[in-house]
Amino acid sequence: MATVNDNYLKLKAGYLFPEIGRRVTAFAEANPDAPIIRLGIGDVTEPLPEACRTAMIQAVEEMGDRAGFKGYGPEQGYGWLREKIAAHDFQARDCEVDASEIFISDGSKCDCGNILDIFGDSNTIAVTDPVYPVYVDTNVMAGHTGEINDRGEYGGLVYLPITAENNFTAEIPSQKVDLIYLCFPNNPTGATATREHLQDWVNYAKMHGSIIFFDAAYEAFITDPALPHSIYEIEGARDCAIEFRSFSKNAGFTGTRCAFTVVPKTLTAKAKDGSDVQLWQLWNRRQSTKFNGVSYIVQRGAEAVYSEVGKAQTKALIDFYMENARIIREQLTAAGIQVYGGENAPYVWVKTPYGLSSWDFFDKLLQTVNVVGTPGAGFGAAGEGYFRISAFNSRENVTEAMRRITENFKVA
Ligand code: MLT
């Protein structure tokens, strides 16, 4: 008799965003005329930059004759894209990252989960609370946790609360952990990390032989020039960090799919026999075996992000969403609602008014003003009492959603 991976049975409800989707669909079916505005999942709404579209169209044309046709590409991504990323995203910031250390993929979500393939099962794993749920759920699926408790915490994970009191940046744990997930600018709180804070993490990781998984999917939204965009801006990070990046949010590729992961060749972890093993080599082996790369057409589209015109167009997209974030912050603050984030990130982290639980606020917003956000509790126990509002939408929808919320939920 075939058996299942029992670890999946430990997972609580469905994955957060499909769960929200189900509730919204049920509401929409019962209320077909409700003018629902979705500020829940961080999915982009504005069209792909013209530079990317032009490059993709040209790539399609190339594929139309034998000379230009491409079959399987390199599993790690085409060299011309990796070179551009290395030059523009890293070397331009004085980060020592070589093109060969960049692995192109179809998404950071997948990479954050897949990276566990190359790590052992006995690592102690730390996540922040609240946290992007993929980090937790993929560890549950891989059997790295115990059962879930009443607070929604899995046994075996080390939770590092990020709260208003610590400015939404996790304190360095007193105990030793082997794998640490950090996300800055942060999803869901929109908080950022200073160089000093990241240096503390790198020092900790180097002292304990830990690996930091640094999710920088939202780095393009940083407006404060003092903030680091990459963990490799921090001294010593090449010896202890893997970085995840994406074209989803900066260039609108959520549907087009292109991302990349940086695994420095200097990074090692221990084998059972105590020897040091290069993680680059393992990730390269994993990708070559389980992945056939991102399509040539999409990679050409991603490459266009680095052209002068592409840079200007993606900057305009980012500025557009950040203006939405500013409107959300300003309107909610004026209505007496406490907000965080939204200054260097496309997410605004809202203290729920009237002491409502985050799912109660979700239901109230959906039912009374037909606005969808994401309940903080969906990101972890410490997210209770908070609510995430995404700035990814049209100006019209954001303005209208803020009008409805502020008129109905003003705090005296
Ligand atoms: C989110 O809303 O948190 C993001 O869209 C999730 C993701 O990028 O996978």
Side-chain angles (χ1 to χ4, degrees):
M1 176 72 88
T3 61
V4 299
N5 176 352
D6 275 283
N7 296 312
Y8 277 65
L9 309 181
K10 292 180 198 161
L11 291 164
K12 42 180 177 182
Y15 181 57
L16 177 61
F17 295 106
E19 179 65 32
I20 289 171
R22 265 192 297 281
R23 291 182 188 222
V24 175
T25 303
F27 177 80
E29 275 167 13
N31 303 274
D33 297 327
I36 297 173
I37 298 176
R38 291 173 167 81
L39 303 177
I41 189 166
D43 192 5
V44 293
T45 54
E46 301 311 294
L48 277 177
E50 206 228 322
C52 301
R53 283 182 283 131
T54 304
M56 285 191 267
I57 290 166
Q58 196 181 322
V60 170
E61 291 301 333
E62 279 177 50
M63 297 284 261
D65 69 33
R66 196 173 292 276
F69 175 77
K70 306 277 183 304
Y72 292 125
E75 293 89 354
Q76 302 80 359
Y78 284 99
W80 35 261
L81 177 56
R82 300 166 88 196
E83 293 285 352
K84 291 253 165 44
I85 293 170
H88 291 264
D89 284 331
F90 297 104
Q91 290 153 10
R93 292 188 181 279
D94 288 333
C95 301
E96 192 193 333
V97 170
D98 186 74
S100 63
E101 298 173 318
I102 294 166
F103 292 81
I104 310 297
S105 78
D106 59 352
S108 282
K109 176 171 152 180
C110 331
D111 284 356
C112 287
N114 292 338
I115 198 74
L116 295 176
D117 276 9
I118 65 167
F119 287 91
D121 288 331
S122 57
N123 289 308
T124 307
I125 295 155
V127 292
T128 62
D129 179 9
V131 69
Y132 178 42
V134 169
Y135 312 152
V136 172
D137 288 5
T138 53
N139 273 290
V140 176
M141 291 169 177
H144 298 164
T145 73
E147 298 294 335
I148 194 164
N149 68 15
D150 293 344
R151 278 174 54 82
E153 295 165 339
Y154 288 96
L157 291 185
V158 175
Y159 288 90
L160 308 171
I162 52 175
T163 59
E165 288 67 46
N166 61 22
N167 215 9
F168 299 103
T169 48
E171 272 152 41
I172 311 288
S174 46
Q175 70 198 99
K176 173 181 170 303
V177 297
D178 303 307
L179 302 177
I180 305 143
Y181 290 82
L182 295 179
C183 174
F184 290 110
N186 187 251
N187 179 12
T189 64
T192 53
T194 61
R195 269 170 215 283
E196 295 69 32
H197 183 66
L198 291 186
Q199 188 68 65
D200 288 347
W201 274 113
V202 166
N203 294 347
Y204 169 92
K206 287 190 70 167
M207 184 162 72
H208 293 290
S210 325
I211 300 289
I212 296 171
F213 295 149
F214 191 74
D215 184 346
Y218 299 96
E219 61 76 33
F221 295 85
I222 292 175
T223 55
D224 179 347
L227 294 171
H229 287 240
S230 165
I231 189 90
Y232 304 117
E233 290 178 54
I234 309 303
E235 175 86 42
R238 279 183 60 80
D239 300 325
C240 64
I242 291 175
E243 182 163 305
F244 302 96
R245 290 272 190 113
S246 172
F247 293 98
S248 283
K249 313 291 160 104
N250 63 341
F253 273 47
T254 53
T256 310
R257 311 306 307 150
C258 199
F260 59 93
T261 289
V262 183
V263 186
K265 288 186 174 159
T266 40
L267 206 54
T268 61
K270 294 284 180 202
K272 277 212 177 82
D273 65 6
S275 59
D276 290 318
V277 178
Q278 189 193 44
L279 292 171
W280 181 92
Q281 182 199 321
L282 297 192
W283 184 244
N284 191 47
R285 185 71 175 80
R286 191 262 172 219
Q287 292 296 83
S288 314
T289 304
K290 293 196 178 182
F291 187 55
N292 261 336
V294 175
S295 82
Y296 173 71
I297 297 160
V298 168
Q299 290 192 61
R300 281 293 184 200
E303 183 194 27
V305 166
Y306 298 101
S307 65
E308 283 314 308
V309 59
K311 278 186 192 168
Q313 290 168 0
T314 48
K315 179 173 184 314
L317 260 185
I318 292 161
D319 290 349
F320 175 84
Y321 291 126
M322 289 310 287
E323 174 62 10
N324 283 350
R326 192 195 62 75
I327 292 169
I328 296 168
R329 282 180 56 86
E330 186 183 273
Q331 299 275 309
L332 295 182
T333 304
I337 298 173
Q338 174 77 59
V339 298
Y340 303 93
E343 288 173 311
N344 293 282
Y347 297 125
V348 180
W349 191 238
V350 177
K351 184 96 195 87
T352 56
Y354 321 121
L356 286 169
S357 80
S358 55
W359 276 107
D360 283 349
F361 188 53
F362 172 88
D363 287 334
K364 268 210 160 23
L365 268 194
L366 178 61
Q367 282 154 22
T368 56
V369 295
N370 308 144
V371 173
V372 181
T374 309
F379 297 102
E384 183 52 275
Y386 289 92
F387 195 76
R388 193 192 76 176
I389 296 188
S390 157
F392 292 116
N393 215 308
S394 65
R395 181 83 77 246
E396 189 189 359
N397 276 350
V398 166
T399 313
E400 171 60 12
M402 289 310 111
R403 185 192 66 74
R404 293 187 206 165
I405 295 177
T406 51
E407 279 177 10
N408 288 273
F409 293 93
K410 211 177 178 78
V411 176

